Amino acid sequence: MKTKLAWLAVGLAWFVLPSQAAERTLLLIAGRPSHPPGMHEFRAGALLLQKCLASVPGLTTLVASNGWPTEAEWLERADAIVIYADGGGGHPAIQQDRLKRLQGLLDKGVGFGVMHYACEVPKDRGGKEFLDWVGGFYEDRYSCNPIWEPEFKKFINHPTTRGVQPFSIKDEWYFCIRFRENMEGIIPILAATPSDKVRNGPYVWPAGPYPHVQAASGREEIMMWAVERPNGGRSFGFTGGHFHSNWGDPNFRKVVLNALLWVSKVDVPAQGVASTVTEEELKQNLDPKGKK
C-alpha cells in the first residue's frame, strides 16, 4: 500500500510540476506622462494590453508605471520585460546602472521588447546593447519618424503574425532603423514601402529630410521586427504606438499581443490573441494632460 501511495505521489508531482514551470510573468514598463492628450499614453496603453492578456493561461502581466518598477522583485520575477516609454537621453533603461541590470537579466534568457519611442537610445549609451539585445534601435539623425499610413499587405509565417490580416493605419511609424550588420538575425514582422513623399518629409523631429533616407527610394522598410538571441531569449521592436486610439484597431493590437506572448515564451494561439476593446476602454487610465 505504501509503495502504491509513493508511486501515486510521484505521478501527481509529474503532472503538477510542468504546470507550475509553465507559468510565465510579463513585465510591461510604462513611461511617464508625455506629449499632448491621446499621444504617448504609455500607462493607459500598457494597462489596456494587460487587460487583453488577462485570460491567457499561464501568463501573469504586471504593469509598472512612471518608467521603472518600484517593486524591485518584479524585475527578477519577469520572464520578459517590455518597455513602452519615451526614449533618447531620457530612456528609462539607460538611467543609473539599469543597462548593467538588464544585461544580467537578458544574459539569463529573459525576453525583451521596446515599443515606439523606447526604440530610441543614444548611439553611445545603449546603442551597442540594443543591437545585441533587440537587433536594432532608432538612431538620431539616421532613423526618421514621419507620421504616415503604411500598408501592411503580407506577413511572414511567424507566431507574432498569427491571425493578423492586412491593415493600414496612421501613426508615427519610425523607419531606417539602425539594424545589425547584414541584418543578422532580424525577422521582419511589419514591413512596407514608404512613398517618396513620406521620405521627403517633414519628419516629426528633426523635420529633415535626410539625403540617405531619400536615396533609398522604393526600399521596403521594417517597422516591427523580432530576434532570437543565442542564449534562447527572444526580443522584438515595434515602432508604432504614438496614437493611443490605434489600440482600437484589431490587427494593430493583435500583432503586438502576439509578440508579447512570443517574447514571454507563451504559446501564441493559431489565430493569434483574441481581444476586444471598446471606445470606453480606450478612454480609461489616460494621463491627466489637460484638454485636447
Side-chain angles (χ1 to χ4, degrees):
M1 185 65 179
K2 288 182 179 180
T3 302
K4 289 182 179 180
L5 288 174
W7 278 108
L8 179 61
V10 170
L12 288 173
W14 189 88
F15 283 107
V16 171
L17 288 176
S19 175
Q20 290 175 339
E23 292 295 322
R24 311 291 289 176
T25 297
L26 166 65
L27 172 59
L28 298 177
I29 298 178
R32 295 173 179 171
S34 164
H35 284 55
M39 306 175 200
H40 289 211
E41 296 285 356
F42 302 127
R43 179 172 177 271
L47 289 171
L48 196 64
L49 293 171
Q50 181 190 47
K51 173 258 175 189
C52 292
L53 294 173
S55 62
V56 175
L59 179 69
T60 297
T61 305
L62 306 174
V63 174
S65 301
N66 293 315
W68 204 250
T70 55
E71 298 81 357
E73 72 275 8
W74 279 16
L75 285 168
E76 297 300 328
R77 178 180 169 188
D79 296 293
I81 299 167
V82 176
I83 304 176
Y84 186 30
D86 280 352
H91 199 299
I94 69 172
Q95 310 307 313
Q96 304 168 34
D97 65 344
R98 292 173 186 169
L99 281 174
K100 182 178 179 181
R101 182 83 182 277
L102 286 170
Q103 184 71 66
L105 295 171
L106 270 63
D107 283 347
K108 298 176 183 177
V110 170
F112 186 65
V114 285
M115 303 203 302
H116 198 49
Y117 198 176
C119 292
E120 180 182 346
V121 288
K123 182 178 180 180
D124 59 354
R125 181 163 172 76
K128 178 179 178 294
E129 287 83 358
F130 270 44
L131 282 174
D132 181 40
W133 297 348
V134 73
F137 67 100
Y138 183 107
E139 181 182 317
D140 184 36
R141 306 307 202 279
Y142 175 78
S143 307
C144 63
N145 58 346
I147 292 178
W148 61 299
E149 194 169 348
E151 295 184 9
F152 301 115
K153 299 178 180 179
K154 60 184 187 301
F155 311 100
I156 64 165
N157 182 15
H158 190 267
T160 59
T161 65
R162 289 177 184 168
V164 180
Q165 301 300 312
F167 70 102
S168 180
I169 195 165
K170 181 189 288 187
D171 206 311
E172 186 185 0
W173 292 103
Y174 308 156
F175 66 88
C176 199
I177 298 299
R178 177 67 79 181
F179 285 115
R180 293 172 180 165
E181 192 78 19
N182 299 319
M183 301 294 290
E184 182 183 355
I186 303 299
I187 304 167
I189 305 302
L190 293 180
T193 303
S195 68
D196 288 345
K197 182 179 179 180
V198 171
R199 290 186 179 276
N200 292 338
Y203 316 143
V204 171
W205 190 89
Y210 304 152
H212 68 276
V213 173
Q214 294 174 299
S217 175
R219 183 178 71 190
E220 188 175 64
E221 301 286 352
I222 297 172
M223 283 150 280
M224 182 178 185
W225 68 96
V227 299
E228 297 193 51
R229 308 196 308 272
N231 65 4
R234 298 172 176 175
S235 302
F236 78 91
F238 173 73
T239 75
H242 179 78
F243 297 116
H244 180 67
S245 60
N246 285 349
W247 294 118
D249 183 278
N251 291 296
F252 182 94
R253 187 173 67 249
K254 177 169 284 192
V255 73
V256 172
L257 291 171
N258 288 351
L260 293 175
L261 291 195
W262 179 78
V263 81
S264 304
K265 294 189 177 178
V266 174
D267 289 340
V268 180
Q271 293 303 312
V273 178
S275 68
T276 57
V277 169
T278 65
E279 286 295 323
E280 186 58 36
E281 287 171 326
L282 283 169
K283 297 175 184 177
Q284 294 173 358
N285 304 305
L286 298 175
D287 290 324
K289 299 177 180 179
K291 296 181 180 178
K292 289 190 179 182

